[in-house]
Coordinates of all heavy atoms in Angstrom, one line a residue:
V56 N 150.0 -4.9 61.3 CA 150.9 -5.4 60.3 C 152.3 -5.5 61.0 O 152.7 -4.6 61.7 CB 151.0 -4.5 59.1 CG1 152.2 -4.9 58.2 CG2 149.7 -4.4 58.4
Y57 N 153.0 -6.6 60.7 CA 154.3 -6.8 61.3 C 155.3 -7.1 60.1 O 154.9 -7.7 59.1 CB 154.3 -8.1 62.2 CG 153.7 -7.9 63.5 CD1 152.4 -8.3 63.7 CD2 154.4 -7.4 64.6 CE1 151.7 -8.2 64.9 CE2 153.8 -7.3 65.8 CZ 152.4 -7.7 66.0 OH 151.8 -7.6 67.2
R58 N 156.5 -6.6 60.3 CA 157.6 -7.0 59.4 C 158.6 -7.7 60.2 O 159.1 -7.2 61.2 CB 158.1 -5.7 58.8 CG 159.2 -6.0 57.8 CD 159.7 -4.6 57.1 NE 160.7 -4.9 56.2 CZ 162.0 -4.8 56.5 NH1 162.4 -4.5 57.7 NH2 162.9 -5.1 55.6
V59 N 158.9 -8.9 59.8 CA 159.9 -9.7 60.5 C 161.1 -9.9 59.5 O 161.0 -10.8 58.6 CB 159.4 -11.0 61.0 CG1 160.4 -11.8 61.8 CG2 158.1 -10.8 61.8
P60 N 162.2 -9.1 59.6 CA 163.3 -9.3 58.6 C 164.2 -10.5 59.0 O 164.4 -10.8 60.1 CB 164.1 -8.0 58.8 CG 163.8 -7.5 60.2 CD 162.4 -8.0 60.5
F61 N 164.6 -11.2 57.9 CA 165.6 -12.2 58.1 C 166.7 -11.9 57.1 O 166.5 -11.2 56.1 CB 165.0 -13.6 57.7 CG 164.0 -14.1 58.7 CD1 162.7 -13.9 58.5 CD2 164.4 -14.9 59.8 CE1 161.7 -14.3 59.5 CE2 163.5 -15.3 60.7 CZ 162.2 -15.1 60.6
A62 N 167.9 -12.4 57.4 CA 169.0 -12.2 56.4 C 168.8 -12.8 55.1 O 168.1 -13.8 55.0 CB 170.3 -12.7 57.1
D63 N 169.4 -12.3 54.1 CA 169.3 -12.9 52.8 C 169.9 -14.3 52.8 O 170.9 -14.6 53.5 CB 170.1 -12.0 51.8 CG 169.6 -12.3 50.3 OD1 168.5 -12.8 50.1 OD2 170.4 -12.0 49.4
H64 N 169.2 -15.2 52.2 CA 169.6 -16.6 52.1 C 169.6 -17.3 53.5 O 170.2 -18.3 53.7 CB 171.0 -16.8 51.5 CG 171.2 -16.2 50.1 ND1 170.7 -16.8 49.0 CD2 171.8 -15.1 49.7 CE1 170.9 -16.0 48.0 NE2 171.6 -15.0 48.4
Y65 N 168.7 -16.8 54.3 CA 168.5 -17.3 55.6 C 167.9 -18.7 55.5 O 167.0 -19.0 54.7 CB 167.6 -16.4 56.4 CG 167.3 -16.9 57.9 CD1 168.2 -16.6 58.8 CD2 166.1 -17.5 58.2 CE1 168.0 -17.0 60.2 CE2 165.9 -17.9 59.5 CZ 166.8 -17.6 60.5 OH 166.6 -18.0 61.7
F66 N 168.3 -19.7 56.3 CA 167.7 -21.0 56.4 C 166.6 -21.0 57.5 O 166.9 -21.0 58.7 CB 168.8 -22.0 56.7 CG 168.2 -23.5 56.8 CD1 167.9 -24.1 55.6 CD2 167.9 -24.1 58.0 CE1 167.4 -25.4 55.6 CE2 167.4 -25.3 58.0 CZ 167.1 -26.0 56.8
Y67 N 165.4 -21.0 57.1 CA 164.2 -20.9 58.0 C 164.1 -22.3 58.7 O 164.1 -23.3 58.1 CB 163.0 -20.6 57.2 CG 163.0 -19.3 56.6 CD1 163.4 -19.2 55.2 CD2 162.8 -18.1 57.2 CE1 163.4 -18.0 54.5 CE2 162.9 -16.9 56.6 CZ 163.2 -16.9 55.2 OH 163.3 -15.7 54.6
T68 N 164.0 -22.1 60.0 CA 163.8 -23.3 60.9 C 162.3 -23.5 61.2 O 161.4 -22.6 61.0 CB 164.5 -23.2 62.2 OG1 163.9 -22.2 63.0 CG2 166.0 -22.9 62.0
E69 N 161.9 -24.7 61.6 CA 160.6 -24.9 62.0 C 160.1 -24.0 63.1 O 159.0 -23.4 63.1 CB 160.4 -26.4 62.5 CG 159.0 -26.8 62.9 CD 158.0 -26.9 61.7 OE1 158.4 -27.1 60.6 OE2 156.8 -26.6 62.0
K70 N 161.1 -23.7 64.0 CA 160.8 -22.7 65.1 C 160.5 -21.3 64.5 O 159.6 -20.7 65.0 CB 162.0 -22.6 66.1 CG 161.8 -21.8 67.3 CD 163.0 -21.8 68.2 CE 162.8 -20.9 69.4 NZ 163.9 -20.9 70.3
D71 N 161.2 -20.9 63.5 CA 161.0 -19.6 62.9 C 159.5 -19.5 62.3 O 158.8 -18.6 62.6 CB 161.9 -19.3 61.8 CG 163.4 -19.2 62.2 OD1 163.6 -18.7 63.3 OD2 164.2 -19.6 61.4
I72 N 159.2 -20.6 61.6 CA 157.9 -20.6 60.9 C 156.8 -20.7 61.9 O 155.7 -20.0 61.8 CB 157.8 -21.8 59.9 CG1 158.9 -21.6 58.8 CG2 156.5 -21.9 59.3 CD1 158.9 -20.3 58.1
Q73 N 156.9 -21.5 63.0 CA 155.9 -21.6 64.0 C 155.7 -20.2 64.7 O 154.6 -19.8 65.0 CB 156.2 -22.7 65.0 CG 156.0 -24.0 64.5 CD 154.7 -24.3 63.8 OE1 153.6 -23.8 64.3 NE2 154.7 -24.9 62.7
M74 N 156.8 -19.5 64.9 CA 156.7 -18.2 65.5 C 155.9 -17.2 64.6 O 155.0 -16.5 65.1 CB 158.1 -17.6 65.8 CG 158.2 -16.2 66.4 SD 158.1 -14.8 65.2 CE 159.6 -15.1 64.3
L75 N 156.2 -17.2 63.3 CA 155.5 -16.4 62.4 C 154.0 -16.7 62.3 O 153.2 -15.8 62.4 CB 156.1 -16.5 61.0 CG 157.6 -15.9 60.9 CD1 158.2 -16.3 59.6 CD2 157.5 -14.4 61.1
K76 N 153.7 -18.0 62.3 CA 152.3 -18.5 62.2 C 151.6 -18.1 63.5 O 150.4 -17.7 63.4 CB 152.3 -20.0 61.9 CG 152.6 -20.3 60.5 CD 152.5 -21.8 60.2 CE 152.9 -22.1 58.7 NZ 152.7 -23.5 58.4
S77 N 152.2 -18.3 64.6 CA 151.6 -17.9 65.9 C 151.2 -16.4 66.0 O 150.2 -16.1 66.4 CB 152.5 -18.4 67.0 OG 151.9 -18.0 68.3
R78 N 152.2 -15.6 65.6 CA 152.0 -14.2 65.6 C 150.9 -13.8 64.6 O 150.1 -12.9 64.9 CB 153.3 -13.5 65.2 CG 153.3 -12.0 65.4 CD 154.6 -11.3 65.1 NE 155.6 -11.6 66.2 CZ 156.8 -11.0 66.2 NH1 157.2 -10.3 65.2 NH2 157.6 -11.3 67.2
A79 N 150.9 -14.4 63.4 CA 149.9 -14.0 62.4 C 148.5 -14.4 62.9 O 147.6 -13.7 62.8 CB 150.2 -14.8 61.1
K80 N 148.4 -15.6 63.5 CA 147.1 -16.1 64.0 C 146.6 -15.2 65.1 O 145.4 -14.8 65.2 CB 147.2 -17.5 64.5 CG 145.9 -18.1 64.9 CD 146.0 -19.5 65.3 CE 144.6 -20.1 65.7 NZ 144.7 -21.5 66.1
A81 N 147.5 -14.8 66.1 CA 147.1 -14.0 67.2 C 146.6 -12.6 66.8 O 145.9 -11.9 67.5 CB 148.3 -13.8 68.2
N82 N 147.1 -12.1 65.6 CA 146.8 -10.8 65.2 C 145.9 -10.8 63.9 O 145.8 -9.7 63.3 CB 148.1 -10.0 64.9 CG 148.8 -9.7 66.2 OD1 148.5 -8.9 66.9 ND2 149.9 -10.5 66.4
D83 N 145.4 -11.9 63.6 CA 144.5 -12.1 62.4 C 145.2 -11.5 61.1 O 144.6 -10.7 60.4 CB 143.2 -11.4 62.6 CG 142.1 -11.8 61.6 OD1 142.2 -13.0 61.1 OD2 141.2 -11.0 61.3
L84 N 146.4 -11.9 60.9 CA 147.2 -11.5 59.8 C 147.5 -12.7 58.8 O 147.4 -13.8 59.2 CB 148.5 -10.9 60.3 CG 148.4 -9.6 61.2 CD1 149.8 -9.3 61.7 CD2 147.8 -8.5 60.4
M85 N 148.0 -12.3 57.6 CA 148.4 -13.3 56.6 C 149.9 -13.2 56.5 O 150.5 -12.1 56.5 CB 147.7 -12.9 55.3 CG 148.1 -13.9 54.2 SD 147.4 -13.5 52.5 CE 146.1 -12.3 52.8
I86 N 150.5 -14.3 56.4 CA 152.0 -14.3 56.2 C 152.2 -14.3 54.7 O 151.7 -15.1 53.9 CB 152.6 -15.6 56.7 CG1 152.4 -15.7 58.3 CG2 154.2 -15.6 56.4 CD1 152.8 -17.0 58.9
M87 N 153.1 -13.3 54.3 CA 153.5 -13.1 52.9 C 155.0 -13.1 52.7 O 155.7 -12.6 53.7 CB 152.9 -11.8 52.3 CG 151.4 -11.8 52.5 SD 150.7 -10.2 52.1 CE 150.9 -10.2 50.3
T88 N 155.5 -13.7 51.7 CA 156.9 -13.7 51.4 C 157.2 -13.7 50.0 O 156.3 -13.9 49.1 CB 157.6 -14.9 52.1 OG1 159.0 -14.8 52.0 CG2 157.2 -16.2 51.4
T89 N 158.4 -13.4 49.6 CA 158.7 -13.4 48.2 C 158.7 -14.9 47.6 O 158.8 -15.8 48.4 CB 160.2 -12.9 47.9 OG1 161.1 -13.7 48.6 CG2 160.3 -11.5 48.4
E90 N 158.5 -15.0 46.3 CA 158.5 -16.3 45.7 C 159.8 -17.0 45.9 O 159.9 -18.2 46.2 CB 158.3 -16.2 44.2 CG 156.8 -15.8 43.9 CD 156.6 -15.7 42.4 OE1 157.5 -15.1 41.7 OE2 155.5 -16.0 41.9
K91 N 161.0 -16.2 45.9 CA 162.3 -16.7 46.1 C 162.4 -17.4 47.5 O 162.9 -18.5 47.6 CB 163.3 -15.6 46.0 CG 164.8 -16.0 46.3 CD 165.7 -14.8 46.3 CE 165.8 -14.1 47.6 NZ 166.8 -14.3 48.5
D92 N 161.9 -16.8 48.5 CA 162.0 -17.4 49.8 C 160.9 -18.5 50.0 O 161.2 -19.5 50.7 CB 161.8 -16.3 50.9 CG 163.1 -15.5 51.0 OD1 164.2 -16.0 50.7 OD2 163.0 -14.3 51.4
F93 N 159.8 -18.4 49.4 CA 158.7 -19.4 49.5 C 159.2 -20.8 49.0 O 159.0 -21.8 49.7 CB 157.5 -19.0 48.7 CG 156.4 -20.0 48.9 CD1 155.6 -19.9 50.0 CD2 156.1 -20.8 47.9 CE1 154.5 -20.8 50.1 CE2 155.0 -21.7 47.9 CZ 154.2 -21.7 49.1
V94 N 159.9 -20.8 47.9 CA 160.4 -22.1 47.3 C 161.5 -22.7 48.1 O 161.8 -23.8 48.0 CB 160.8 -21.9 45.8 CG1 159.7 -21.5 44.9 CG2 162.0 -21.0 45.6
R95 N 162.1 -21.8 48.9 CA 163.2 -22.4 49.8 C 162.7 -23.0 51.1 O 163.4 -23.7 51.8 CB 164.2 -21.2 50.2 CG 165.0 -20.7 48.9 CD 165.9 -19.6 49.2 NE 166.9 -20.0 50.2 CZ 167.0 -19.4 51.4 NH1 166.2 -18.5 51.8 NH2 168.0 -19.8 52.2
L96 N 161.4 -22.8 51.4 CA 160.8 -23.4 52.5 C 160.5 -24.9 52.3 O 160.2 -25.3 51.2 CB 159.5 -22.7 52.9 CG 159.5 -21.3 53.3 CD1 158.0 -20.8 53.4 CD2 160.2 -21.1 54.6
D97 N 160.7 -25.7 53.4 CA 160.3 -27.0 53.3 C 158.8 -27.1 53.0 O 158.0 -26.3 53.5 CB 160.5 -27.7 54.6 CG 160.2 -29.2 54.7 OD1 159.0 -29.5 54.6 OD2 161.2 -30.0 54.8
P98 N 158.4 -27.9 52.0 CA 156.9 -28.0 51.6 C 156.0 -28.2 52.8 O 154.9 -27.6 52.8 CB 156.9 -29.2 50.7 CG 158.2 -29.2 50.1 CD 159.2 -28.8 51.2
A99 N 156.4 -28.8 53.9 CA 155.6 -29.0 55.0 C 155.3 -27.7 55.8 O 154.4 -27.6 56.6 CB 156.2 -30.0 56.0
M100 N 156.2 -26.7 55.6 CA 156.1 -25.4 56.3 C 155.3 -24.4 55.5 O 154.9 -23.3 56.1 CB 157.5 -24.8 56.5 CG 158.4 -25.6 57.4 SD 159.9 -24.6 57.6 CE 161.1 -25.8 58.0
R101 N 154.9 -24.7 54.2 CA 154.3 -23.7 53.4 C 152.8 -23.4 53.6 O 152.3 -22.4 53.1 CB 154.5 -24.1 51.9 CG 155.9 -24.1 51.5 CD 156.0 -24.6 50.1 NE 157.4 -24.7 49.7 CZ 157.8 -25.3 48.5 NH1 156.9 -25.8 47.7 NH2 159.1 -25.3 48.3
N102 N 152.1 -24.2 54.4 CA 150.7 -24.0 54.7 C 150.5 -22.6 55.3 O 151.3 -22.3 56.2 CB 150.2 -25.0 55.6 CG 150.2 -26.4 55.0 OD1 150.4 -26.6 53.8 ND2 150.0 -27.4 55.9
D103 N 149.6 -21.9 54.8 CA 149.2 -20.6 55.3 C 150.3 -19.5 55.1 O 150.3 -18.5 55.7 CB 148.9 -20.6 56.8 CG 147.7 -21.5 57.1 OD1 146.8 -21.5 56.3 OD2 147.8 -22.2 58.1
I104 N 151.2 -19.8 54.2 CA 152.2 -18.8 53.7 C 152.0 -18.4 52.3 O 151.8 -19.4 51.5 CB 153.6 -19.2 54.0 CG1 153.8 -19.5 55.5 CG2 154.6 -18.2 53.5 CD1 155.2 -20.0 55.9
H105 N 151.8 -17.2 51.9 CA 151.5 -16.8 50.6 C 152.7 -16.1 49.9 O 153.2 -15.1 50.4 CB 150.3 -15.8 50.7 CG 149.2 -16.4 51.5 ND1 148.2 -17.2 50.9 CD2 148.8 -16.3 52.8 CE1 147.3 -17.6 51.8 NE2 147.7 -17.0 52.9
P106 N 153.1 -16.7 48.7 CA 154.1 -16.1 48.0 C 153.6 -14.9 47.2 O 152.5 -14.9 46.7 CB 154.6 -17.2 47.0 CG 153.4 -18.0 46.8 CD 152.6 -18.0 48.2
V107 N 154.5 -13.9 47.1 CA 154.2 -12.6 46.4 C 155.1 -12.5 45.2 O 156.3 -12.6 45.4 CB 154.3 -11.4 47.3 CG1 154.1 -10.1 46.6 CG2 153.4 -11.5 48.5
S108 N 154.6 -12.3 44.1 CA 155.4 -12.1 42.9 C 155.6 -10.7 42.6 O 154.7 -9.8 42.9 CB 154.8 -12.8 41.6 OG 153.6 -12.3 41.3
Y109 N 156.7 -10.3 42.0 CA 156.9 -8.9 41.7 C 157.8 -8.8 40.4 O 158.4 -9.9 40.0 CB 157.5 -8.1 42.8 CG 158.8 -8.7 43.3 CD1 160.0 -8.2 42.7 CD2 158.9 -9.6 44.3 CE1 161.2 -8.8 43.2 CE2 160.1 -10.2 44.7 CZ 161.2 -9.8 44.1 OH 162.4 -10.3 44.5
R110 N 157.7 -7.7 39.8 CA 158.5 -7.6 38.5 C 159.0 -6.1 38.5 O 158.4 -5.2 38.8 CB 157.6 -7.8 37.4 CG 158.2 -7.8 36.0 CD 157.2 -8.2 34.9 NE 156.2 -7.1 34.7 CZ 155.8 -6.7 33.5 NH1 156.3 -7.4 32.5 NH2 155.0 -5.8 33.4
L111 N 160.3 -6.0 38.1 CA 161.0 -4.7 38.0 C 160.8 -4.2 36.5 O 161.1 -5.0 35.6 CB 162.4 -4.8 38.3 CG 163.3 -3.6 38.1 CD1 162.8 -2.4 39.0 CD2 164.8 -3.9 38.3
V112 N 160.2 -3.0 36.4 CA 160.0 -2.4 35.1 C 160.8 -1.1 35.1 O 160.6 -0.2 35.9 CB 158.6 -2.2 34.8 CG1 158.4 -1.4 33.4 CG2 157.8 -3.4 34.8
L113 N 161.8 -1.0 34.1 CA 162.6 0.2 34.1 C 162.0 1.2 33.0 O 161.7 0.8 31.9 CB 164.0 -0.1 33.6 CG 164.8 -1.1 34.5 CD1 166.1 -1.5 33.8 CD2 165.0 -0.5 35.8
K114 N 161.8 2.4 33.5 CA 161.3 3.5 32.6 C 162.4 3.8 31.5 O 162.0 4.2 30.4 CB 160.8 4.6 33.3 CG 159.6 4.4 34.1 CD 159.1 5.7 34.8 CE 157.9 5.5 35.6 NZ 157.5 6.7 36.3
D115 N 163.6 3.9 32.0 CA 164.7 4.3 31.1 C 165.8 3.3 31.2 O 166.8 3.5 32.0 CB 165.1 5.7 31.5 CG 166.2 6.3 30.5 OD1 166.8 5.6 29.7 OD2 166.3 7.5 30.5
Q116 N 165.8 2.2 30.5 CA 166.8 1.2 30.6 C 168.2 1.7 30.3 O 169.1 1.3 31.0 CB 166.4 0.0 29.7 CG 167.3 -1.1 29.8 CD 166.9 -2.4 29.0 OE1 165.9 -2.3 28.3 NE2 167.7 -3.4 29.0
K117 N 168.4 2.5 29.3 CA 169.7 3.0 29.0 C 170.3 3.8 30.1 O 171.5 3.6 30.4 CB 169.6 3.8 27.7 CG 171.0 4.3 27.2 CD 170.9 5.0 25.9 CE 172.3 5.4 25.5 NZ 172.3 6.1 24.1
R118 N 169.5 4.6 30.7 CA 170.0 5.4 31.9 C 170.4 4.5 33.0 O 171.4 4.7 33.7 CB 168.9 6.4 32.3 CG 169.4 7.3 33.4 CD 168.2 8.3 33.7 NE 168.6 9.0 34.9 CZ 167.7 9.7 35.7 NH1 166.4 9.7 35.3 NH2 168.1 10.3 36.8
F119 N 169.6 3.5 33.3 CA 169.9 2.6 34.3 C 171.2 1.8 34.1 O 172.1 1.7 34.9 CB 168.8 1.6 34.5 CG 169.1 0.4 35.5 CD1 169.1 0.7 36.9 CD2 169.4 -0.8 35.1 CE1 169.5 -0.3 37.8 CE2 169.7 -1.8 36.0 CZ 169.8 -1.5 37.3
L120 N 171.4 1.4 32.8 CA 172.6 0.6 32.5 C 173.8 1.5 32.5 O 174.9 1.1 33.0 CB 172.5 0.0 31.1 CG 171.5 -1.2 31.0 CD1 171.4 -1.6 29.5 CD2 171.9 -2.3 31.9
N121 N 173.7 2.8 32.2 CA 174.8 3.7 32.3 C 175.2 3.9 33.8 O 176.4 3.9 34.2 CB 174.5 5.1 31.7 CG 174.4 5.0 30.2 OD1 175.1 4.2 29.6 ND2 173.7 5.9 29.6
W122 N 174.2 4.0 34.6 CA 174.4 4.2 36.1 C 175.1 2.9 36.6 O 176.1 3.0 37.4 CB 173.1 4.5 36.8 CG 173.2 4.4 38.3 CD1 173.6 5.4 39.1 CD2 172.9 3.2 39.1 NE1 173.6 5.0 40.4 CE2 173.2 3.6 40.4 CE3 172.5 2.0 38.9 CZ2 173.0 2.8 41.5 CZ3 172.3 1.1 40.0 CH2 172.6 1.5 41.2
L123 N 174.6 1.8 36.2 CA 175.1 0.5 36.7 C 176.5 0.2 36.3 O 177.3 -0.4 37.1 CB 174.2 -0.7 36.2 CG 174.4 -2.0 36.7 CD1 174.2 -2.1 38.2 CD2 173.5 -3.1 36.0
Q124 N 176.9 0.7 35.2 CA 178.3 0.5 34.7 C 179.3 1.2 35.6 O 180.5 0.8 35.7 CB 178.5 1.1 33.3 CG 177.9 0.2 32.3 CD 178.0 0.7 30.8 OE1 178.1 1.9 30.6 NE2 178.1 -0.2 29.9
Q125 N 178.9 2.1 36.4 CA 179.8 2.8 37.4 C 180.2 1.8 38.5 O 181.2 2.0 39.2 CB 179.1 3.9 38.1 CG 178.8 5.1 37.1 CD 178.0 6.1 37.9 OE1 178.4 6.6 38.9 NE2 176.8 6.5 37.3
Y126 N 179.4 0.8 38.7 CA 179.6 -0.2 39.8 C 179.9 -1.6 39.4 O 180.4 -2.4 40.3 CB 178.4 -0.2 40.7 CG 178.0 1.2 41.2 CD1 177.0 1.9 40.6 CD2 178.7 1.8 42.2 CE1 176.7 3.3 41.0 CE2 178.4 3.1 42.7 CZ 177.4 3.8 42.0 OH 177.1 5.1 42.5
V127 N 179.6 -2.0 38.2 CA 179.8 -3.3 37.7 C 180.5 -3.3 36.4 O 180.3 -2.6 35.5 CB 178.4 -4.0 37.5 CG1 178.6 -5.4 37.0 CG2 177.6 -4.0 38.8
T128 N 181.4 -4.3 36.2 CA 182.2 -4.4 35.0 C 181.4 -5.4 34.1 O 181.2 -6.6 34.6 CB 183.6 -4.9 35.3 OG1 184.2 -3.9 36.1 CG2 184.4 -5.0 33.9
F129 N 181.1 -5.0 32.9 CA 180.4 -5.9 32.0 C 181.4 -6.6 31.2 O 182.4 -6.2 30.8 CB 179.4 -5.2 31.1 CG 178.2 -4.7 31.9 CD1 178.1 -3.4 32.3 CD2 177.1 -5.5 32.1 CE1 177.0 -2.9 33.0 CE2 176.0 -5.1 32.8 CZ 176.0 -3.8 33.2

């Protein structure tokens, strides 16, 4: 398993995608990314890249909002 970090809002180049695909193929791995980054890829680059969906579930929403208010003005 490899983790290849990119900066948030990174603009993926064809070279980046080819490097990832080459590394995945050489190691019999699957390329996975967030849905957010998947939709930012040029459609021609999406072959063999699998989007992963996720959902945040808060056990205690009120506690979280109280904590968040320390850092964000509503």
Side-chain angles (χ1 to χ4, degrees):
V56 174
Y57 287 94
R58 180 175 180 268
V59 182
F61 290 93
D63 200 23
H64 303 287
Y65 182 79
F66 181 78
Y67 300 95
T68 66
E69 181 69 27
K70 184 178 177 180
D71 296 326
I72 300 304
Q73 289 307 319
M74 177 273 298
L75 293 170
K76 288 181 178 184
S77 176
R78 188 179 287 184
K80 184 176 181 178
N82 293 282
D83 195 28
L84 299 172
M85 180 184 344
I86 300 173
M87 301 172 73
T88 190
T89 62
E90 289 176 322
K91 177 184 86 101
D92 286 333
F93 183 79
V94 298
R95 294 178 60 244
L96 293 174
D97 183 292
M100 295 185 207
R101 293 179 184 169
N102 295 347
D103 300 321
I104 298 178
H105 305 276
V107 177
S108 63
Y109 57 92
R110 185 173 72 137
L111 175 65
V112 177
L113 300 172
K114 290 182 179 181
D115 187 342
Q116 183 176 358
K117 185 175 181 178
R118 182 176 173 201
F119 173 75
L120 291 175
N121 287 337
W122 171 84
L123 187 61
Q124 284 178 333
Q125 297 175 50
Y126 304 100
V127 178
T128 303
F129 290 99

